[in-house]
Amino acid sequence: MLEMQTCFLSEVGGRSRNEDACGYWTSETGCCWVVSDGAGGHGSGDVAARLVVSSMLRSFSAHPQVGPNTASSLLQRANDAVVEEKTTGGTADDMHATAVLLLIDPHDRVAVWGHVGDTRIYLFRHGRVAYQTRDHSLVQNMIDAGYGSVDMLRTHPQRSLLTSAIGSAESIALSVSAEPLALHPGDVFLMCTDGWWEYVEEDDMERLLNSTPTPQAWLESMSELIRSRASESNDNFTAVCVSMIEEPDADETTVIIPSKRRLEGEPD
């Protein structure tokens, strides 16, 4: 059975409220982690983000299967939940959200992920970035078409314009890994909103990952970097770290980490 460690950090930044949400649900059958960044008038972005997280965790816990089809279905159900809230709930504005989810089968030791918008997932292997998602954004499309460099993702004045977001009555563009990825001991996933990765470049992520003693210390080191670089009015920033625990040597004691169930961002 694959052993994993989860830690997270979410801060309001320079905003009056935190419109990010994150949560996870784990079992021996399957595990699911979700991060969402909400937006919308009249402060309803936090409603959208919480709906995304709660919808996906509720759906996954009812049928904890790990695969690309499950990831696609969870993202679509989250979109349906936000659209329904916009039409029948107490909000009257065009709230929407970005989202990224990670699914892991601890028995088969495989992972699947998917996302909508510019909330990202990174996979670190041997201390280096082995994979990162591509944003659904206007600037990413410009870069893909050859009209600029990747630096524009963090500097272009229109970097926040999305080409896909959860909360659309039309069909949404979503990206899901084509097939399950075999996991290795020591692999680390980082799931984070744009308020996080905008101020922490990939070189910084790698450097701090390899110089901090624990995953939680890694997140805290990156958050300190954000606070030192961001303006006083910077966005909320949220990250979840999921690390595959290294297999112990034969003469070491094995520590069993119990399953956890936690939802961050739900109202008390």
mmCIF file of all heavy atoms in Angstrom, residues 138-181:
data_model
loop_
_atom_site.group_PDB
_atom_site.id
_atom_site.type_symbol
_atom_site.label_atom_id
_atom_site.label_comp_id
_atom_site.label_asym_id
_atom_site.label_seq_id
_atom_site.Cartn_x
_atom_site.Cartn_y
_atom_site.Cartn_z
ATOM 1 N N LEU A 138 -5.815 33.117 -22.012
ATOM 2 C CA LEU A 138 -5.501 33.832 -23.245
ATOM 3 C C LEU A 138 -4.003 33.888 -23.467
ATOM 4 O O LEU A 138 -3.516 33.666 -24.586
ATOM 5 C CB LEU A 138 -6.082 35.247 -23.183
ATOM 6 C CG LEU A 138 -5.738 36.173 -24.343
ATOM 7 C CD1 LEU A 138 -6.338 35.645 -25.636
ATOM 8 C CD2 LEU A 138 -6.236 37.592 -24.061
ATOM 9 N N VAL A 139 -3.248 34.162 -22.415
ATOM 10 C CA VAL A 139 -1.795 34.286 -22.563
ATOM 11 C C VAL A 139 -1.174 32.946 -22.931
ATOM 12 O O VAL A 139 -0.261 32.883 -23.760
ATOM 13 C CB VAL A 139 -1.176 34.861 -21.273
ATOM 14 C CG1 VAL A 139 0.344 34.821 -21.343
ATOM 15 C CG2 VAL A 139 -1.651 36.299 -21.061
ATOM 16 N N GLN A 140 -1.644 31.846 -22.340
ATOM 17 C CA GLN A 140 -1.123 30.527 -22.709
ATOM 18 C C GLN A 140 -1.377 30.251 -24.187
ATOM 19 O O GLN A 140 -0.509 29.708 -24.895
ATOM 20 C CB GLN A 140 -1.770 29.446 -21.862
ATOM 21 C CG GLN A 140 -1.251 28.037 -22.135
ATOM 22 C CD GLN A 140 0.178 27.829 -21.680
ATOM 23 O OE1 GLN A 140 0.451 27.805 -20.483
ATOM 24 N NE2 GLN A 140 1.102 27.692 -22.623
ATOM 25 N N ASN A 141 -2.553 30.636 -24.685
ATOM 26 C CA ASN A 141 -2.847 30.451 -26.105
ATOM 27 C C ASN A 141 -1.904 31.273 -26.980
ATOM 28 O O ASN A 141 -1.463 30.812 -28.048
ATOM 29 C CB ASN A 141 -4.296 30.839 -26.403
ATOM 30 C CG ASN A 141 -5.293 29.807 -25.905
ATOM 31 O OD1 ASN A 141 -4.911 28.741 -25.426
ATOM 32 N ND2 ASN A 141 -6.575 30.124 -26.011
ATOM 33 N N MET A 142 -1.591 32.492 -26.544
ATOM 34 C CA MET A 142 -0.658 33.337 -27.294
ATOM 35 C C MET A 142 0.720 32.691 -27.353
ATOM 36 O O MET A 142 1.373 32.664 -28.406
ATOM 37 C CB MET A 142 -0.585 34.722 -26.651
ATOM 38 C CG MET A 142 -1.867 35.519 -26.751
ATOM 39 S SD MET A 142 -1.847 37.001 -25.699
ATOM 40 C CE MET A 142 -0.450 37.894 -26.371
ATOM 41 N N ILE A 143 1.155 32.143 -26.236
ATOM 42 C CA ILE A 143 2.466 31.498 -26.183
ATOM 43 C C ILE A 143 2.474 30.259 -27.079
ATOM 44 O O ILE A 143 3.418 30.030 -27.845
ATOM 45 C CB ILE A 143 2.813 31.130 -24.732
ATOM 46 C CG1 ILE A 143 2.978 32.390 -23.891
ATOM 47 C CG2 ILE A 143 4.080 30.271 -24.675
ATOM 48 C CD1 ILE A 143 3.067 32.124 -22.406
ATOM 49 N N ASP A 144 1.414 29.455 -26.996
ATOM 50 C CA ASP A 144 1.328 28.253 -27.820
ATOM 51 C C ASP A 144 1.352 28.585 -29.305
ATOM 52 O O ASP A 144 1.838 27.794 -30.127
ATOM 53 C CB ASP A 144 0.055 27.472 -27.484
ATOM 54 C CG ASP A 144 0.086 26.870 -26.090
ATOM 55 O OD1 ASP A 144 1.183 26.794 -25.497
ATOM 56 O OD2 ASP A 144 -0.990 26.482 -25.588
ATOM 57 N N ALA A 145 0.814 29.759 -29.667
ATOM 58 C CA ALA A 145 0.776 30.170 -31.072
ATOM 59 C C ALA A 145 2.074 30.849 -31.511
ATOM 60 O O ALA A 145 2.198 31.247 -32.672
ATOM 61 C CB ALA A 145 -0.404 31.107 -31.306
ATOM 62 N N GLY A 146 3.038 30.981 -30.593
ATOM 63 C CA GLY A 146 4.327 31.546 -30.951
ATOM 64 C C GLY A 146 4.430 33.043 -30.808
ATOM 65 O O GLY A 146 5.365 33.667 -31.341
ATOM 66 N N TYR A 147 3.495 33.657 -30.042
ATOM 67 C CA TYR A 147 3.499 35.108 -29.897
ATOM 68 C C TYR A 147 4.081 35.581 -28.567
ATOM 69 O O TYR A 147 3.693 36.615 -28.053
ATOM 70 C CB TYR A 147 2.082 35.662 -30.061
ATOM 71 C CG TYR A 147 1.536 35.503 -31.446
ATOM 72 C CD1 TYR A 147 0.549 34.557 -31.713
ATOM 73 C CD2 TYR A 147 2.003 36.285 -32.492
ATOM 74 C CE1 TYR A 147 0.043 34.398 -32.995
ATOM 75 C CE2 TYR A 147 1.506 36.130 -33.773
ATOM 76 C CZ TYR A 147 0.528 35.185 -34.016
ATOM 77 O OH TYR A 147 0.036 35.026 -35.290
ATOM 78 N N GLY A 148 4.990 34.829 -28.012
ATOM 79 C CA GLY A 148 5.616 35.265 -26.780
ATOM 80 C C GLY A 148 6.274 34.114 -26.056
ATOM 81 O O GLY A 148 6.212 32.961 -26.483
ATOM 82 N N SER A 149 6.913 34.436 -24.934
ATOM 83 C CA SER A 149 7.630 33.445 -24.141
ATOM 84 C C SER A 149 6.836 33.105 -22.890
ATOM 85 O O SER A 149 5.868 33.785 -22.531
ATOM 86 C CB SER A 149 9.010 33.984 -23.747
ATOM 87 O OG SER A 149 8.872 35.053 -22.822
ATOM 88 N N VAL A 150 7.277 32.076 -22.195
ATOM 89 C CA VAL A 150 6.573 31.642 -20.978
ATOM 90 C C VAL A 150 6.619 32.702 -19.889
ATOM 91 O O VAL A 150 5.808 32.668 -18.958
ATOM 92 C CB VAL A 150 7.159 30.312 -20.451
ATOM 93 C CG1 VAL A 150 6.878 29.179 -21.422
ATOM 94 C CG2 VAL A 150 8.655 30.438 -20.193
ATOM 95 N N ASP A 151 7.549 33.649 -19.975
ATOM 96 C CA ASP A 151 7.608 34.724 -18.983
ATOM 97 C C ASP A 151 6.311 35.516 -18.950
ATOM 98 O O ASP A 151 5.951 36.107 -17.917
ATOM 99 C CB ASP A 151 8.768 35.675 -19.290
ATOM 100 C CG ASP A 151 10.129 34.998 -19.143
ATOM 101 O OD1 ASP A 151 10.195 33.980 -18.431
ATOM 102 O OD2 ASP A 151 11.109 35.486 -19.740
ATOM 103 N N MET A 152 5.586 35.555 -20.073
ATOM 104 C CA MET A 152 4.339 36.308 -20.151
ATOM 105 C C MET A 152 3.283 35.777 -19.191
ATOM 106 O O MET A 152 2.368 36.501 -18.793
ATOM 107 C CB MET A 152 3.797 36.279 -21.580
ATOM 108 C CG MET A 152 4.641 37.040 -22.580
ATOM 109 S SD MET A 152 4.168 36.685 -24.305
ATOM 110 C CE MET A 152 2.395 36.967 -24.277
ATOM 111 N N LEU A 153 3.373 34.497 -18.817
ATOM 112 C CA LEU A 153 2.389 33.921 -17.908
ATOM 113 C C LEU A 153 2.365 34.645 -16.571
ATOM 114 O O LEU A 153 1.331 34.665 -15.887
ATOM 115 C CB LEU A 153 2.689 32.433 -17.688
ATOM 116 C CG LEU A 153 2.464 31.517 -18.885
ATOM 117 C CD1 LEU A 153 3.058 30.134 -18.619
ATOM 118 C CD2 LEU A 153 0.979 31.399 -19.207
ATOM 119 N N ARG A 154 3.490 35.245 -16.203
ATOM 120 C CA ARG A 154 3.572 35.943 -14.923
ATOM 121 C C ARG A 154 3.619 37.460 -15.059
ATOM 122 O O ARG A 154 3.493 38.159 -14.048
ATOM 123 C CB ARG A 154 4.809 35.463 -14.148
ATOM 124 C CG ARG A 154 4.710 34.022 -13.642
ATOM 125 C CD ARG A 154 5.944 33.644 -12.837
ATOM 126 N NE ARG A 154 5.756 32.388 -12.129
ATOM 127 C CZ ARG A 154 6.096 31.185 -12.613
ATOM 128 N NH1 ARG A 154 6.644 31.093 -13.834
ATOM 129 N NH2 ARG A 154 5.897 30.092 -11.905
ATOM 130 N N THR A 155 3.770 37.980 -16.271
ATOM 131 C CA THR A 155 3.982 39.414 -16.429
ATOM 132 C C THR A 155 2.974 40.108 -17.336
ATOM 133 O O THR A 155 2.808 41.318 -17.248
ATOM 134 C CB THR A 155 5.396 39.684 -16.996
ATOM 135 O OG1 THR A 155 5.513 39.051 -18.285
ATOM 136 C CG2 THR A 155 6.468 39.124 -16.066
ATOM 137 N N HIS A 156 2.306 39.380 -18.215
ATOM 138 C CA HIS A 156 1.418 40.017 -19.189
ATOM 139 C C HIS A 156 0.212 40.642 -18.482
ATOM 140 O O HIS A 156 -0.349 40.056 -17.553
ATOM 141 C CB HIS A 156 0.931 38.978 -20.210
ATOM 142 C CG HIS A 156 0.343 39.587 -21.433
ATOM 143 N ND1 HIS A 156 -0.948 40.075 -21.492
ATOM 144 C CD2 HIS A 156 0.879 39.807 -22.675
ATOM 145 C CE1 HIS A 156 -1.187 40.545 -22.691
ATOM 146 N NE2 HIS A 156 -0.107 40.394 -23.436
ATOM 147 N N PRO A 157 -0.198 41.869 -18.895
ATOM 148 C CA PRO A 157 -1.332 42.531 -18.220
ATOM 149 C C PRO A 157 -2.651 41.768 -18.343
ATOM 150 O O PRO A 157 -3.564 41.996 -17.543
ATOM 151 C CB PRO A 157 -1.405 43.896 -18.922
ATOM 152 C CG PRO A 157 -0.634 43.742 -20.193
ATOM 153 C CD PRO A 157 0.430 42.732 -19.907
ATOM 154 N N GLN A 158 -2.778 40.868 -19.329
ATOM 155 C CA GLN A 158 -4.005 40.096 -19.488
ATOM 156 C C GLN A 158 -3.833 38.640 -19.044
ATOM 157 O O GLN A 158 -4.581 37.765 -19.469
ATOM 158 C CB GLN A 158 -4.463 40.144 -20.953
ATOM 159 C CG GLN A 158 -4.888 41.525 -21.411
ATOM 160 C CD GLN A 158 -5.338 41.529 -22.856
ATOM 161 O OE1 GLN A 158 -4.633 41.062 -23.741
ATOM 162 N NE2 GLN A 158 -6.527 42.076 -23.095
ATOM 163 N N ARG A 159 -2.886 38.402 -18.147
ATOM 164 C CA ARG A 159 -2.572 37.031 -17.736
ATOM 165 C C ARG A 159 -3.710 36.358 -16.978
ATOM 166 O O ARG A 159 -3.743 35.132 -16.870
ATOM 167 C CB ARG A 159 -1.300 37.013 -16.881
ATOM 168 C CG ARG A 159 -1.374 37.828 -15.592
ATOM 169 C CD ARG A 159 -0.007 37.902 -14.922
ATOM 170 N NE ARG A 159 0.009 38.684 -13.705
ATOM 171 C CZ ARG A 159 0.138 40.017 -13.684
ATOM 172 N NH1 ARG A 159 0.241 40.688 -14.808
ATOM 173 N NH2 ARG A 159 0.177 40.672 -12.529
ATOM 174 N N SER A 160 -4.643 37.134 -16.458
ATOM 175 C CA SER A 160 -5.738 36.542 -15.681
ATOM 176 C C SER A 160 -6.967 36.217 -16.524
ATOM 177 O O SER A 160 -7.953 35.686 -15.989
ATOM 178 C CB SER A 160 -6.150 37.482 -14.545
ATOM 179 O OG SER A 160 -5.077 37.658 -13.631
ATOM 180 N N LEU A 161 -6.940 36.525 -17.811
ATOM 181 C CA LEU A 161 -8.085 36.228 -18.667
ATOM 182 C C LEU A 161 -8.100 34.745 -19.012
ATOM 183 O O LEU A 161 -7.169 34.230 -19.631
ATOM 184 C CB LEU A 161 -8.027 37.066 -19.946
ATOM 185 C CG LEU A 161 -8.220 38.581 -19.763
ATOM 186 C CD1 LEU A 161 -8.156 39.280 -21.108
ATOM 187 C CD2 LEU A 161 -9.556 38.864 -19.069
ATOM 188 N N LEU A 162 -9.180 34.054 -18.623
ATOM 189 C CA LEU A 162 -9.273 32.611 -18.804
ATOM 190 C C LEU A 162 -10.042 32.268 -20.071
ATOM 191 O O LEU A 162 -10.954 32.994 -20.480
ATOM 192 C CB LEU A 162 -9.964 31.973 -17.598
ATOM 193 C CG LEU A 162 -9.325 32.217 -16.229
ATOM 194 C CD1 LEU A 162 -10.176 31.573 -15.143
ATOM 195 C CD2 LEU A 162 -7.909 31.682 -16.189
ATOM 196 N N THR A 163 -9.688 31.149 -20.657
ATOM 197 C CA THR A 163 -10.436 30.632 -21.804
ATOM 198 C C THR A 163 -11.395 29.519 -21.387
ATOM 199 O O THR A 163 -12.200 29.077 -22.194
ATOM 200 C CB THR A 163 -9.479 30.105 -22.881
ATOM 201 O OG1 THR A 163 -8.629 29.092 -22.315
ATOM 202 C CG2 THR A 163 -8.607 31.240 -23.435
ATOM 203 N N SER A 164 -11.313 29.075 -20.167
ATOM 204 C CA SER A 164 -12.237 28.071 -19.634
ATOM 205 C C SER A 164 -12.299 28.212 -18.126
ATOM 206 O O SER A 164 -11.272 28.432 -17.473
ATOM 207 C CB SER A 164 -11.785 26.660 -20.016
ATOM 208 O OG SER A 164 -12.713 25.685 -19.549
ATOM 209 N N ALA A 165 -13.504 28.097 -17.581
ATOM 210 C CA ALA A 165 -13.687 28.170 -16.128
ATOM 211 C C ALA A 165 -14.943 27.400 -15.752
ATOM 212 O O ALA A 165 -15.884 27.276 -16.539
ATOM 213 C CB ALA A 165 -13.794 29.618 -15.660
ATOM 214 N N ILE A 166 -14.951 26.868 -14.556
ATOM 215 C CA ILE A 166 -16.124 26.179 -14.037
ATOM 216 C C ILE A 166 -17.202 27.203 -13.693
ATOM 217 O O ILE A 166 -16.920 28.234 -13.080
ATOM 218 C CB ILE A 166 -15.739 25.344 -12.802
ATOM 219 C CG1 ILE A 166 -14.941 24.123 -13.244
ATOM 220 C CG2 ILE A 166 -16.967 24.934 -12.009
ATOM 221 C CD1 ILE A 166 -14.478 23.248 -12.114
ATOM 222 N N GLY A 167 -18.433 26.913 -14.141
ATOM 223 C CA GLY A 167 -19.540 27.825 -13.928
ATOM 224 C C GLY A 167 -20.153 28.292 -15.228
ATOM 225 O O GLY A 167 -20.974 29.209 -15.239
ATOM 226 N N SER A 168 -19.778 27.646 -16.321
ATOM 227 C CA SER A 168 -20.287 28.010 -17.637
ATOM 228 C C SER A 168 -21.457 27.109 -18.023
ATOM 229 O O SER A 168 -21.381 25.891 -17.881
ATOM 230 C CB SER A 168 -19.180 27.881 -18.692
ATOM 231 O OG SER A 168 -19.704 28.057 -19.993
ATOM 232 N N ALA A 169 -22.522 27.729 -18.526
ATOM 233 C CA ALA A 169 -23.668 26.953 -18.988
ATOM 234 C C ALA A 169 -23.348 26.242 -20.292
ATOM 235 O O ALA A 169 -24.002 25.257 -20.644
ATOM 236 C CB ALA A 169 -24.877 27.860 -19.170
ATOM 237 N N GLU A 170 -22.350 26.735 -21.013
ATOM 238 C CA GLU A 170 -21.889 26.074 -22.227
ATOM 239 C C GLU A 170 -20.911 24.963 -21.838
ATOM 240 O O GLU A 170 -20.521 24.817 -20.681
ATOM 241 C CB GLU A 170 -21.214 27.087 -23.156
ATOM 242 C CG GLU A 170 -22.061 28.317 -23.448
ATOM 243 C CD GLU A 170 -23.331 27.986 -24.199
ATOM 244 O OE1 GLU A 170 -23.309 27.015 -24.980
ATOM 245 O OE2 GLU A 170 -24.335 28.686 -23.992
ATOM 246 N N SER A 171 -20.489 24.175 -22.801
ATOM 247 C CA SER A 171 -19.512 23.132 -22.513
ATOM 248 C C SER A 171 -18.189 23.764 -22.116
ATOM 249 O O SER A 171 -17.780 24.798 -22.663
ATOM 250 C CB SER A 171 -19.312 22.233 -23.740
ATOM 251 O OG SER A 171 -18.832 22.987 -24.836
ATOM 252 N N ILE A 172 -17.532 23.175 -21.146
ATOM 253 C CA ILE A 172 -16.263 23.718 -20.671
ATOM 254 C C ILE A 172 -15.100 22.909 -21.258
ATOM 255 O O ILE A 172 -15.224 21.712 -21.509
ATOM 256 C CB ILE A 172 -16.174 23.704 -19.130
ATOM 257 C CG1 ILE A 172 -16.351 22.278 -18.582
ATOM 258 C CG2 ILE A 172 -17.179 24.653 -18.527
ATOM 259 C CD1 ILE A 172 -16.075 22.156 -17.097
ATOM 260 N N ALA A 173 -13.986 23.607 -21.473
ATOM 261 C CA ALA A 173 -12.764 22.917 -21.883
ATOM 262 C C ALA A 173 -12.043 22.465 -20.629
ATOM 263 O O ALA A 173 -11.783 23.265 -19.731
ATOM 264 C CB ALA A 173 -11.883 23.858 -22.702
ATOM 265 N N LEU A 174 -11.767 21.187 -20.536
ATOM 266 C CA LEU A 174 -11.042 20.677 -19.384
ATOM 267 C C LEU A 174 -9.909 19.782 -19.873
ATOM 268 O O LEU A 174 -9.968 19.238 -20.968
ATOM 269 C CB LEU A 174 -11.981 19.920 -18.432
ATOM 270 C CG LEU A 174 -12.843 18.782 -19.005
ATOM 271 C CD1 LEU A 174 -12.093 17.470 -18.977
ATOM 272 C CD2 LEU A 174 -14.140 18.680 -18.203
ATOM 273 N N SER A 175 -8.888 19.663 -19.062
ATOM 274 C CA SER A 175 -7.725 18.842 -19.408
ATOM 275 C C SER A 175 -7.567 17.762 -18.356
ATOM 276 O O SER A 175 -7.580 18.042 -17.152
ATOM 277 C CB SER A 175 -6.453 19.692 -19.476
ATOM 278 O OG SER A 175 -6.547 20.656 -20.498
ATOM 279 N N VAL A 176 -7.402 16.521 -18.824
ATOM 280 C CA VAL A 176 -7.248 15.375 -17.928
ATOM 281 C C VAL A 176 -6.107 14.518 -18.453
ATOM 282 O O VAL A 176 -5.952 14.360 -19.674
ATOM 283 C CB VAL A 176 -8.546 14.540 -17.870
ATOM 284 C CG1 VAL A 176 -8.335 13.250 -17.097
ATOM 285 C CG2 VAL A 176 -9.681 15.356 -17.248
ATOM 286 N N SER A 177 -5.291 13.983 -17.543
ATOM 287 C CA SER A 177 -4.199 13.110 -17.962
ATOM 288 C C SER A 177 -4.752 11.923 -18.733
ATOM 289 O O SER A 177 -5.776 11.350 -18.369
ATOM 290 C CB SER A 177 -3.386 12.643 -16.751
ATOM 291 O OG SER A 177 -4.226 12.138 -15.727
ATOM 292 N N ALA A 178 -4.085 11.568 -19.826
ATOM 293 C CA ALA A 178 -4.611 10.569 -20.756
ATOM 294 C C ALA A 178 -4.702 9.182 -20.141
ATOM 295 O O ALA A 178 -5.599 8.398 -20.467
ATOM 296 C CB ALA A 178 -3.753 10.528 -22.018
ATOM 297 N N GLU A 179 -3.779 8.850 -19.253
ATOM 298 C CA GLU A 179 -3.772 7.523 -18.629
ATOM 299 C C GLU A 179 -3.126 7.623 -17.260
ATOM 300 O O GLU A 179 -2.395 8.581 -16.967
ATOM 301 C CB GLU A 179 -3.013 6.524 -19.492
ATOM 302 C CG GLU A 179 -1.585 6.908 -19.780
ATOM 303 C CD GLU A 179 -0.910 5.957 -20.749
ATOM 304 O OE1 GLU A 179 -1.615 5.266 -21.511
ATOM 305 O OE2 GLU A 179 0.331 5.915 -20.743
ATOM 306 N N PRO A 180 -3.395 6.678 -16.369
ATOM 307 C CA PRO A 180 -2.800 6.720 -15.030
ATOM 308 C C PRO A 180 -1.267 6.688 -15.086
ATOM 309 O O PRO A 180 -0.682 5.991 -15.916
ATOM 310 C CB PRO A 180 -3.365 5.465 -14.360
ATOM 311 C CG PRO A 180 -4.631 5.184 -15.090
ATOM 312 C CD PRO A 180 -4.359 5.574 -16.513
ATOM 313 N N LEU A 181 -0.655 7.452 -14.212
ATOM 314 C CA LEU A 181 0.805 7.517 -14.120
ATOM 315 C C LEU A 181 1.280 6.669 -12.953
ATOM 316 O O LEU A 181 0.775 6.799 -11.832
ATOM 317 C CB LEU A 181 1.258 8.963 -13.914
ATOM 318 C CG LEU A 181 2.753 9.153 -13.630
ATOM 319 C CD1 LEU A 181 3.558 9.032 -14.926
ATOM 320 C CD2 LEU A 181 3.016 10.507 -12.969
#
